């Protein structure tokens, strides 16, 4: 063999080796699609989920990836901005699966968009980890590939109503104002059920349009109803607007509950003293103290990792974004395979301790294994008032 032939053979061998390595690298990556509202009205929520997803992926890849059988897989997150528009979320979920070839899906924000996207993931038999859907309407469709990380809405309204009963007069008057969207409306309906069970009187029940900027008409009616307890459901920007416009309308109530805006620091930062004594309920709080069989190990360590990366405490949306990854990782590792059906079977059987709390699903794919906390803004801080095991204060 001449020198030129020898060099040519070496070049072919090197090219073949690189091609083989490239194939191995491609096979050793798990792609997870995440359609999120990165812009538009729900962008605060979308950005928080992304932070949580990113923190988990970074921690897993740093630890060597996801172990499935004899292979370790690197995590790759593929984001798509649906601009807070549900039909676009459906289109992008389909694109992520059929064109971008993702292996699994992290659901969009909220019950409405998650329900819409679940039809796409079910058709394609793609496990769909629904981080922020708590309405039973998402899970009673008979779908097998969706798994939700939030307990049902009544797990928020029942303890809220118990606390209200202990503080308000018998037969207290309750006003309910809800965003005309799946989760806020479903939550409001559960609140009315919880209130009536305790002998309260519903004196106002209304809805406001998605994107509404003027709530004055509804608030005038609420004021005329003279409620002892005002319950408002919606998202962060909604809650900020309603609370400011309550002040303009001279509307006050003995107890003011807003879900879910007060969970975010922007709520308190935006309205200052108007946030004082606003109560709320949420699925997770950083004062929780769980030990976990996951890459974070405990609530305390998760909070520390989040602070180190982002410079602030995590809220429930950050944490459940990370939990989505923890749960999917556990199912893949238990299945010892990336096969979607095998992973789906392990999700259905899951009984896992995590930094967020214990995770197990009912037959519909809805988590039913932990108790969400109730909190109140006091002196500008989020104070947990229920359950007693993690309470840092009492309801004012």
């Amino acid at each position: 063999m001449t020198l030129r032939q020898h060099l040519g053979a070496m070049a072919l061998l090197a090219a073949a080796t690189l091609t083989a390595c490239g194939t191995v690298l491609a096979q050793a990556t798990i792609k997870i699609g995440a359609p999120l509202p990165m812009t538009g009205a729900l962008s605060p929520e979308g950005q928080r989920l992304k932070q949580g997803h990113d923190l988990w992926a970074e921690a897993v890849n740093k630890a060597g990836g996801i172990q499935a059988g004899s292979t370790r897989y690197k995590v790759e997150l593929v984001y798509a901005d649906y601009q807070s528009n549900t039909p676009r979320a459906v289109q992008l979920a389909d694109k992520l699966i059929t064109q971008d070839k993702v292996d699994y899906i992290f659901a969009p924000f909220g019950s409405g968009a998650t329900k819409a996207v679940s039809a796409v993931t079910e058709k394609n038999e793609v496990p769909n980890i629904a981080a922020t859907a708590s309405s039973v309407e998402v899970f009673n469709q008979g779908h097998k590939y969706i798994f939700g990380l939030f307990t049902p809405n009544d797990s928020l309204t029942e303890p809220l109503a118990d606390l209200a009963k202990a503080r308000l007069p018998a037969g207290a008057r309750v006003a309910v104002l809800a965003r005309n969207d799946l989760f806020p409306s479903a939550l409001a309906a559960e609140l009315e059920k919880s209130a009536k069970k305790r002998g309260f009187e519903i004196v106002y029940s209304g809805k406001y349009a998605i994107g509404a900027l003027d709530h004055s008409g509804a608030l005038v009616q609420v004021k005329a109803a003279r409620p002892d307890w005002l319950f408002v459901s919606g998202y962060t920007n909604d809650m900020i607007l309603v609370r400011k416009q309550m002040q303009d309308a001279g509307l006050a109530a003995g107890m003011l509950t807003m879900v879910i805006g007060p969970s975010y620091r922007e709520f308190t930062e935006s309205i200052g003293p108007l946030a004082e004594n606003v109560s709320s309920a949420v699925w997770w709080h950083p004062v929780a103290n769980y030990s976990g069989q996951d890459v974070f190990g405990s609530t305390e360590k998760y909070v520390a990792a989040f602070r180190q990366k982002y410079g602030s405490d995590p809220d429930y949306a950050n944490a459940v974004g990370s939990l989505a990854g923890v749960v999917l990782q556990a199912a893949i590792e238990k299945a010892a395979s990336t096969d979607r059906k095998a992973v789906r079977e392990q999700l259905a059987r899951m009984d896992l301790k995590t930094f967020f709390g214990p995770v197990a699903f009912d037959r519909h794919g809805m988590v039913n294994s932990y108790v969400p906390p109730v909190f109140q803004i006091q002196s500008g801080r989020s104070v947990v008032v229920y359950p007693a095991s993690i309470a840092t204060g009492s309801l004012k």
Side-chain angles (χ1 to χ4, degrees):
M1 179 183 291
T2 66
L3 177 60
R4 177 175 292 180
Q5 289 172 325
H6 177 73
L7 291 174
M10 290 293 289
L12 287 172
L13 178 61
T17 302
L18 286 172
T19 300
C21 288
T23 302
V24 170
L25 286 173
Q27 290 176 344
T29 299
I30 289 174
K31 294 175 69 175
I32 304 169
L36 292 179
M38 305 305 297
T39 57
L42 298 178
S43 60
E45 286 82 2
Q47 294 288 347
R48 281 175 162 75
L49 277 177
K50 184 178 184 298
Q51 286 181 323
H53 294 334
D54 286 344
L55 182 62
W56 166 75
E58 182 181 287
V60 168
N61 287 337
K62 186 176 180 180
I66 295 176
Q67 182 79 43
S70 59
T71 305
R72 278 196 172 272
Y73 292 84
K74 178 183 177 182
V75 171
E76 179 186 347
L77 298 176
V78 184
Y79 290 108
D81 176 17
Y82 66 87
Q83 301 169 341
S84 303
N85 180 279
T86 295
R88 182 162 175 77
V90 175
Q91 294 169 357
L92 290 175
D94 185 76
K95 177 182 179 295
L96 285 165
I97 294 168
T98 60
Q99 296 182 36
D100 298 320
K101 304 298 182 183
V102 300
D103 301 293
Y104 313 101
I105 287 286
F106 287 162
F109 180 81
S111 293
T114 297
K115 181 179 181 180
V117 163
S118 70
V120 175
T121 53
E122 192 70 16
K123 179 184 70 175
N124 290 281
E125 297 185 333
V126 175
N128 176 357
I129 311 300
T132 58
S134 62
S135 301
V136 294
E137 294 86 345
V138 179
F139 301 94
N140 63 6
Q141 306 175 88
H143 290 174
K144 302 297 184 184
Y145 281 83
I146 184 169
F147 293 89
L149 302 181
F150 281 169
T151 54
N153 289 328
D154 63 357
S155 68
L156 304 186
T157 63
E158 284 290 291
L160 280 167
D162 278 339
L163 289 166
K165 185 176 180 181
R167 298 295 190 277
L168 298 176
R173 301 165 64 84
V174 180
V176 179
L177 180 62
R179 173 182 166 117
N180 192 14
D181 202 354
L182 179 54
F183 162 69
S185 294
L187 183 68
E190 289 298 335
L191 189 280
E192 291 190 26
K193 292 178 188 177
S194 296
K196 289 176 181 177
K197 280 169 58 177
R198 289 157 181 83
F200 294 158
E201 180 186 1
I202 306 299
V203 294
Y204 177 87
S205 179
K207 294 182 180 179
Y208 60 90
I210 296 171
L213 299 178
D214 183 3
H215 301 278
S216 59
L219 295 176
V220 167
Q221 295 180 56
V222 171
K223 184 178 179 180
R226 298 178 293 106
D228 299 298
W229 182 16
L230 172 57
F231 180 87
V232 188
S233 62
Y235 299 116
T236 310
N237 293 332
D238 303 326
M239 300 297 96
I240 290 171
L241 274 173
V242 170
R243 186 64 189 95
K244 287 180 176 178
Q245 291 174 19
M246 281 179 61
Q247 176 80 351
D248 295 339
L251 170 59
M255 182 170 171
L256 173 60
T257 301
M258 293 182 147
V259 180
I260 54 176
S263 300
Y264 303 138
R265 61 183 178 273
E266 283 86 350
F267 178 82
T268 304
E269 290 171 355
S270 295
I271 63 176
L274 292 179
E276 193 67 10
N277 292 337
V278 175
S279 55
S280 191
V282 72
W283 291 270
W284 182 88
H285 197 283
V287 303
N289 186 24
Y290 294 110
S291 295
Q293 302 161 314
D294 57 66
V295 69
F296 300 108
S298 69
T299 307
E300 182 180 10
K301 290 178 181 177
Y302 177 79
V303 172
F306 190 92
R307 284 175 181 161
Q308 183 175 6
K309 183 171 177 62
Y310 297 112
S312 63
D313 282 349
D315 55 44
Y316 84 96
N318 299 135
V320 81
S322 297
L323 180 64
V326 163
V327 166
L328 179 60
Q329 178 183 1
I332 293 170
E333 293 184 344
K334 189 74 173 177
S337 168
T338 59
D339 177 77
R340 290 169 173 170
K341 290 185 178 180
V343 171
R344 184 263 161 207
E345 289 302 314
Q346 291 304 323
L347 285 165
R349 300 172 189 170
M350 183 161 289
D351 185 4
L352 181 69
K353 293 180 179 179
T354 78
F355 76 92
F356 193 96
V359 174
F361 301 102
D362 65 18
R363 62 189 181 89
H364 300 294
M366 201 169 193
V367 77
N368 61 356
S369 47
Y370 62 84
V371 177
V374 176
F375 68 95
Q376 186 179 42
I377 306 299
Q378 298 178 7
S379 302
R381 294 176 53 250
S382 174
V383 175
V384 174
V385 298
Y386 173 89
S389 58
I390 61 170
T392 56
S394 57
L395 187 72
K396 293 183 178 179

